[in-house]
Amino acid sequence: MFCRAIVVILQHIMELERRNRIFSLALPIIGGMVSQNLLNIVDTAMVGFLGDAALAAVGLGGFIVFMCQALILGISTGVQSSAARRKGEGHPERAAAILNTALLLVLVVAPIFSLVLIQLAEPAYPFLNADPEVIERGVPYIEWRLGAIVFVGMNFAFRGYWNALDLSRLYMKTLILMHATNIVLNYVLIFGKFGAPEFGVTGAGMASAISMAVGTVIYFILAMRHVEQGYFLRCMATRKETVALVRVSIPSGIQQLFFAAGLVAMFWIIGRIGTPSLAAANVLVTVLLFAILPGLGLGLACATLVGQALGKRDPDDAYQWAFDVAKVTVALLTILGIPMWLVPDLVSSIFIHEESTRELARWPMRIMGLTMSIEAIGFAFMHGMLGAGDARRVMMVSIGTQWLLFLPLAYVIGPILGYGLLGVWIWQGVTRTVQSALFLSMWRGRKWQQIEV
């Protein structure tokens, strides 16, 4: 009996230590992301005073920009997976070399993306929304955002490195400073305060681009102080390390590209239902992106923990980390979903000032609240696989469930059959459940532990 009690106490201590390890990594990430999404909420709330067309322009434009940036954003996953593995192996100087190579790749590729995409913005926008007022406001907004892709890519490369090296506090501090800058610039440039011209929706795009550049400058200053033993910008990854970096980054980027394109396609589908539904959907997605922050932050922590464990040649520990993270994530996201279910109008009224639009958002908001725990499961095991370098299978599941399952039937359910925004949101909940189940099954299959990064 005494021995059994000792075993139970030791297990409890170990579980407590693992939870503390999870939170020590995840809380700074979550803090930074709260800053990011508070910015999105402030953006949406400010633009909301300009009317439904402005809300629709910023909502659609934001996801167009995300789609255009997606291939570059995959660099974060590649850096995090590779750098965490090097740290687990006891070679943090090689992690610095991986960061340096990632920054160079972004510097070469991102400006080309920006030039091409800015040229395509005006002729392509009407295919996504035919409302002349939405087009007039949306095109200048996305042109400014597209011009900042090089800064976004570098910021994400730094994010992957800080998270992999247990330095996520630097990521949090930088994002808070960057987004505080963005909020101030939004107020000044959208409404023409302190002597500045009143740019409206275009001002929101200008503020976002400038704040991204500010964030990049801060990251470079921090890297001079915190990257391992002065290796920042002084060495490059080997050919093998570079191939591994690209091999993980490209599928991750493609996954994010199709995810973002899927969101744009969803907005196009909802736009065919009506502009009020599109405005409501913008608010729903904004609220969802804020509420799932703990899941995303914990997922990124899971990727680091899995990568470091595999670097130490301990796949069983890596396997258990994902389940430990999943337990914490389910608990937190379930709690955050309660207000969406109980008081959906109170949540949406922060952004929506027209009663008819708020009514459109009511039941979709409740559905989001009910499915938060399912989202949590998907986040934990998807990021566990990314941390192991299994980006290719993550890409296949993500693209398959979104483009082969969700979008075709969403078009049928919403505009064609007439079930509107509510029908689209119910079907989205179903497809996200399928996706989470697939990630769990793949994690339990353990093929990911054979991947070399």
Side-chain angles (χ1 to χ4, degrees):
M1 180 68 69
F2 178 75
C3 292
R4 183 177 298 175
I6 293 295
V7 170
V8 170
I9 292 171
L10 289 174
Q11 287 177 340
H12 177 73
I13 292 172
M14 291 177 66
E15 289 175 1
L16 183 61
E17 288 178 351
R18 292 176 77 85
R19 282 199 298 270
N20 289 340
R21 175 84 170 113
I22 291 168
F23 281 117
S24 68
L25 281 171
L27 287 178
I29 300 173
I30 294 170
M33 290 180 172
V34 166
S35 169
Q36 169 71 66
N37 282 267
L38 282 174
L39 168 66
N40 292 340
I41 288 172
V42 171
D43 262 2
T44 305
M46 287 184 181
V47 173
F49 286 102
L50 304 180
D52 278 354
L55 268 177
V58 170
L60 179 59
F63 287 109
I64 292 172
V65 172
F66 179 35
M67 177 180 67
C68 294
Q69 294 171 346
L71 284 173
I72 291 292
L73 301 187
I75 200 73
S76 179
T77 301
V79 171
Q80 184 171 359
S81 176
S82 299
R85 193 75 69 97
R86 300 294 86 77
K87 178 176 173 59
E89 293 170 351
H91 299 294
E93 73 282 356
R94 299 313 309 158
I98 289 166
L99 170 63
N100 297 337
T101 301
L103 292 173
L104 179 61
L105 289 173
V106 171
L107 185 62
V108 171
V109 174
I112 299 172
F113 274 16
S114 288
L115 289 173
V116 172
L117 293 169
I118 289 172
Q119 294 300 314
L120 293 174
E122 186 170 357
Y125 201 102
F127 291 99
L128 299 171
N129 190 288
D131 188 325
E133 191 174 359
V134 174
I135 295 170
E136 181 183 0
R137 298 185 179 199
V139 170
Y141 173 80
I142 66 172
E143 286 178 341
W144 272 96
R145 296 286 305 275
L146 291 173
I149 287 179
V150 64
F151 302 121
V152 174
M154 288 187 174
N155 290 354
F156 269 75
F158 278 113
R159 185 185 84 170
Y161 178 81
W162 299 136
N163 292 343
L165 273 289
D166 297 347
L167 293 170
S168 52
R169 69 185 186 280
L170 300 179
Y171 166 65
M172 177 187 70
K173 291 176 181 178
T174 305
L175 277 189
I176 290 173
L177 289 172
M178 183 169 65
H179 298 324
T181 302
N182 201 341
I183 289 172
V184 173
L185 289 175
N186 270 334
Y187 180 70
V188 172
L189 297 175
I190 291 174
F191 301 111
K193 302 298 181 180
F194 305 113
E198 183 178 338
F199 289 105
V201 173
T202 302
M206 295 168 65
S208 295
I210 295 169
S211 69
M212 285 294 174
V214 170
T216 303
V217 171
I218 294 171
Y219 277 136
F220 268 84
I221 294 171
L222 290 173
M224 295 294 183
R225 300 177 182 177
H226 295 282
V227 170
E228 183 68 20
Q229 298 178 6
Y231 282 100
F232 182 54
L233 302 181
R234 295 186 181 180
C235 60
M236 300 297 288
T238 65
R239 180 178 179 181
K240 181 179 179 180
E241 289 169 338
T242 303
V243 169
L245 171 66
V246 173
R247 190 175 66 241
V248 175
S249 298
I250 288 179
S252 179
I254 292 173
Q255 175 212 343
Q256 294 191 59
L257 171 63
F258 276 86
F259 174 73
L263 287 176
V264 174
M266 183 186 75
F267 272 87
W268 176 81
I269 290 169
I270 294 170
R272 294 180 67 86
I273 300 171
T275 296
S277 291
L278 184 60
N282 177 30
V283 170
L284 288 166
V285 172
T286 299
V287 172
L288 177 63
L289 292 177
F290 181 77
I292 63 175
L293 285 179
L296 184 53
L298 287 162
L300 290 171
C302 182
T304 293
L305 292 165
V306 168
Q308 291 182 3
L310 291 174
K312 296 173 183 176
R313 307 299 179 188
D314 193 348
D316 290 336
D317 190 42
Y319 180 78
Q320 187 57 44
W321 273 124
F323 282 98
D324 291 342
V325 171
K327 293 173 187 176
V328 176
T329 310
V330 168
L332 288 178
L333 292 197
T334 299
I335 292 169
L336 288 173
I338 292 174
M340 299 181 205
W341 168 249
L342 293 180
V343 286
D345 286 0
L346 182 62
V347 177
S348 64
S349 64
I350 300 171
F351 318 101
I352 302 175
H353 306 290
E354 295 186 19
E355 176 60 32
S356 59
T357 308
R358 192 158 53 240
E359 185 176 348
L360 287 172
R362 183 175 301 142
W363 273 100
M365 184 79 72
R366 285 178 166 155
I367 291 166
M368 284 195 327
L370 288 173
T371 56
M372 288 293 284
S373 58
I374 296 170
E375 294 280 358
I377 294 170
F379 272 122
F381 295 107
M382 179 186 76
H383 282 91
M385 293 176 65
L386 290 174
D390 199 355
R392 181 174 173 273
R393 290 201 299 162
V394 170
M395 174 191 72
M396 292 172 64
V397 169
S398 179
I399 293 174
T401 53
Q402 187 179 32
W403 283 87
L404 301 181
L405 192 60
F406 170 64
L407 290 172
L409 283 176
Y411 182 77
V412 173
I413 291 168
I416 294 180
L417 296 181
Y419 289 103
L421 182 63
L422 177 58
V424 171
W425 233 256
I426 291 173
W427 181 237
Q428 179 173 302
V430 173
T431 55
R432 297 294 289 179
T433 301
V434 171
Q435 185 181 99
S436 294
L438 288 172
F439 284 136
L440 172 58
S441 175
M442 292 164 71
W443 185 255
R444 296 180 69 176
R446 300 184 69 147
K447 290 183 179 179
W448 45 266
Q449 69 185 42
Q450 301 169 10
I451 296 173
E452 292 292 331
V453 175

